[in-house]
Amino acid sequence: MINSFDILETIKMIEEEHLDIRTVTMGISLRDCCGSDIERVADRVYDKVTKTAEKLVQTADGIACEYGIPIVNKRVSVTPVSLLADACESSDVPVLARALDRAAETLGINFIGGYGALVHKGMTRGDKNLIETLPEALSETERVCSFVNVATTRAGINMDAVKTLGELVCRMAYLTRERESVACAKFVAFANATEDNPFMAGAFHGVGEGEAVINVGVSGPGVVHKAIKRAGDVNLTDLAEVVKRTAFKITRAGQLVAKTAAERLGIPFGIVDLSLAPTPAIGDSVAHILEEMGLSSVGSHGTTAALALLNDAVKKGGVMASPHVGGLSGAFIPVSEDAGMIEAASKGYLSFDKLEAMTAVCSVGLDMIAIPGDTPPEVISAIIADEISIGVVNNKTTAVRVIPAYGKGVGDFVNYGGLLGEAPVMPISTCSPKKFISRGGRIPAPIHSQRN
């Protein structure tokens, strides 16, 4: 039984250590909006989303006020839009993106996710129509976030899709060149995408979900950082215990908010995602947690081991605090959204290759990394392929959200403000993978995928 007593210990965390509920995300099924006329489908989408989530912001704000727990973002995720596009006669899929954007504006939420496709084994007509128009859709909208799942451990990697995405990411950067290529910050390529992820840009309402659901993403890097600092000079076994106990307390707060929101909205509670999601604010950094463990800077040798300890301890502590833990659940390492990552990358301590190594043990992947604007499409495709292969071989979710900052080179900065933060343009390898990427086809699933 969860009551307010369960979160009394979190008052100090909220006031002094940046604890917050990062997002309350309502997942909404749009399968009943299908039809052949895309304009009518767009109207149905707008009506369904605005009607279902009309009280989301009001309810979340009320809970935040009542319990004194900040709820930073209110969001919506929807059925992968390519499924709707399959039934539409028109190929002008951005019509649906604009309907989602209007709905998000009406609701007063910051992002709406699900404008994407699952193409790990191939593409339908709707998938192709949506993917080919992604640059247009993301450049014309403010709040729409998009994903494409290009691989699973069971299916392998769709390299035809990976090749296409490299080209489209460059196009996104160009179309929003006057806004720091921001469209790229709203798109993510996935392996093993989860159906209940509440975090953007990769959130969508999976086909295995019900009509609607409430998923909550907690945060609290600052809380974990302070707990490690208080623990002092203990060994790594004891340090893991400190992180586990702290993650338990953070997740209990998320569980309380999730269940309360679900009850008041009359919508089933889905999951708590217990990820440590950083922000550019001082004191809210995953990088600083790793440095408090004993690293002189994130990016030094030992960083991957420290991150592995942190990620595992967060999961172990969190799963004891909620009966339904899901989403991504672990530690995020987005460069532009983490003050410590920004600092380390700016000083040259944190390299692109080290970030890739770290993704083998964290919850997501190469996230919010700015690269030179003249990076060729095949290099971006190869970056996606490398990261996605880590997810496929290790049977975990991985993702790529890179920003080829148009007109900028190594040492320049992109600056978005807010949660998206800022990032230095990082150097990457200039060796060409063009012949490899141009082969296309599918990289077969690893042998350990055969588990039946």
Side-chain angles (χ1 to χ4, degrees):
M1 180 69 180
I2 292 180
N3 53 52
S4 57
F5 178 78
D6 290 320
I7 62 166
L8 287 177
E9 281 190 278
T10 67
I11 299 302
K12 183 178 180 181
M13 298 178 185
I14 294 165
E15 294 179 346
E16 301 177 14
E17 300 171 1
H18 299 276
L19 174 65
D20 58 54
I21 302 301
R22 188 53 46 86
T23 181
V24 174
T25 301
M26 180 183 292
I28 301 173
S29 173
L30 298 182
R31 285 186 284 176
D32 57 349
C33 297
C34 287
S36 59
D37 185 328
I38 199 165
E39 296 290 347
R40 292 187 64 186
V41 171
D43 289 340
R44 292 172 191 159
V45 166
Y46 175 86
D47 291 342
K48 176 76 178 286
V49 171
T50 53
K51 181 178 180 181
T52 307
E54 63 181 342
K55 296 181 180 178
L56 174 63
V57 172
Q58 174 188 345
T59 300
D61 287 345
I63 293 170
C65 182
E66 181 176 340
Y67 289 113
I69 304 175
I71 299 176
V72 179
N73 298 298
K74 280 72 70 174
R75 297 168 172 171
V76 167
S77 63
V78 299
T79 304
V81 172
S82 67
L83 300 180
L84 279 67
D86 274 328
C88 295
E89 294 177 355
S90 172
S91 61
D92 188 17
V93 189
V95 169
L96 302 180
R98 292 190 285 271
L100 291 171
D101 206 42
R102 291 196 305 274
E105 182 178 13
T106 298
L107 293 170
I109 59 177
N110 68 328
F111 287 124
I112 186 165
Y115 190 80
L118 304 163
V119 298
H120 36 277
K121 290 189 76 173
M123 297 189 196
T124 65
R125 182 180 64 87
D127 294 331
K128 291 178 181 178
N129 288 339
L130 183 141
I131 290 172
E132 288 172 359
T133 57
L134 276 174
E136 177 185 355
L138 295 181
S139 64
E140 292 179 354
T141 57
E142 297 295 327
R143 298 169 178 83
V144 173
C145 288
S146 178
F147 79 97
V148 176
N149 191 71
V150 297
T152 66
T153 297
R154 189 74 176 177
I157 306 173
N158 183 345
M159 290 299 293
D160 293 324
V162 169
K163 179 179 183 295
T164 298
L165 291 184
E167 298 164 356
L168 294 180
V169 168
C170 288
R171 178 69 176 162
M172 293 174 202
Y174 176 77
L175 289 179
T176 52
R177 61 193 180 279
E178 303 299 330
R179 294 179 287 154
E180 306 272 39
S181 300
V182 69
C184 301
K186 300 187 294 174
F187 171 76
V188 59
F190 265 121
N192 296 316
T194 60
E195 295 192 338
D196 53 10
N197 166 25
F199 288 102
M200 301 296 170
F204 67 95
H205 188 69
V207 295
E209 300 285 334
E211 183 67 19
V213 69
I214 291 292
N215 297 321
V216 165
V218 299
S219 187
V223 179
V224 175
H225 178 264
K226 290 292 181 65
I228 292 173
K229 189 172 185 177
R230 285 193 298 268
D233 190 20
V234 299
N235 66 36
L236 293 177
T237 303
D238 293 338
L239 202 63
E241 288 298 311
V242 169
V243 176
K244 283 168 56 179
R245 289 195 298 270
T246 306
F248 177 88
K249 296 173 185 177
I250 293 170
T251 307
R252 290 298 272 180
Q255 170 78 359
L256 174 64
V257 169
K259 290 199 69 176
T260 304
E263 290 169 1
R264 294 182 183 180
L265 289 165
I267 290 174
F269 158 55
I271 58 93
V272 174
D273 186 319
L274 48 92
S275 297
L276 294 180
T279 73
I282 301 299
D284 201 25
S285 164
V286 169
H288 289 160
I289 295 174
L290 303 179
E291 291 167 0
E292 190 62 44
M293 288 182 179
L295 303 174
S296 59
S297 172
V298 66
S300 69
H301 294 297
T303 298
T304 305
L307 181 59
L309 183 155
L310 174 65
N311 204 60
D312 180 67
V314 166
K315 290 178 183 291
K316 287 175 177 175
V319 295
M320 296 297 292
S322 173
H324 299 297
V325 169
L328 302 170
S329 289
F332 290 178
I333 53 170
V335 174
S336 78
E337 298 175 4
D338 185 305
M341 297 287 181
I342 296 168
E343 181 182 8
S346 299
K347 292 180 177 178
Y349 300 152
L350 180 63
S351 69
F352 191 94
D353 291 341
K354 187 61 176 179
L355 280 163
E356 184 179 288
M358 293 164 67
T359 65
V361 299
C362 77
S363 289
V364 190
L366 297 169
D367 197 19
M368 288 302 290
I369 302 171
I371 60 176
D374 60 358
T375 302
E378 61 269 17
V379 173
I380 296 174
S381 294
I383 288 170
I384 294 172
D386 280 347
E387 182 59 32
I388 293 310
S389 68
I390 291 174
V392 168
V393 171
N394 290 287
N395 196 27
K396 68 188 291 292
T397 301
T398 55
V400 177
R401 188 164 48 148
V402 294
I403 303 159
Y406 190 85
K408 297 191 175 186
V410 174
D412 293 331
F413 266 75
V414 294
N415 193 330
Y416 301 112
L419 285 176
L420 294 180
E422 64 174 3
V425 177
M426 299 180 69
I428 58 173
S429 173
T430 58
C431 297
S432 176
K434 188 170 185 177
K435 185 176 180 179
F436 175 73
I437 296 300
S438 65
R439 289 179 182 272
R442 281 199 2 239
I443 294 178
I447 186 63
H448 59 259
S449 67
Q450 302 301 316
R451 295 182 174 181
N452 283 346

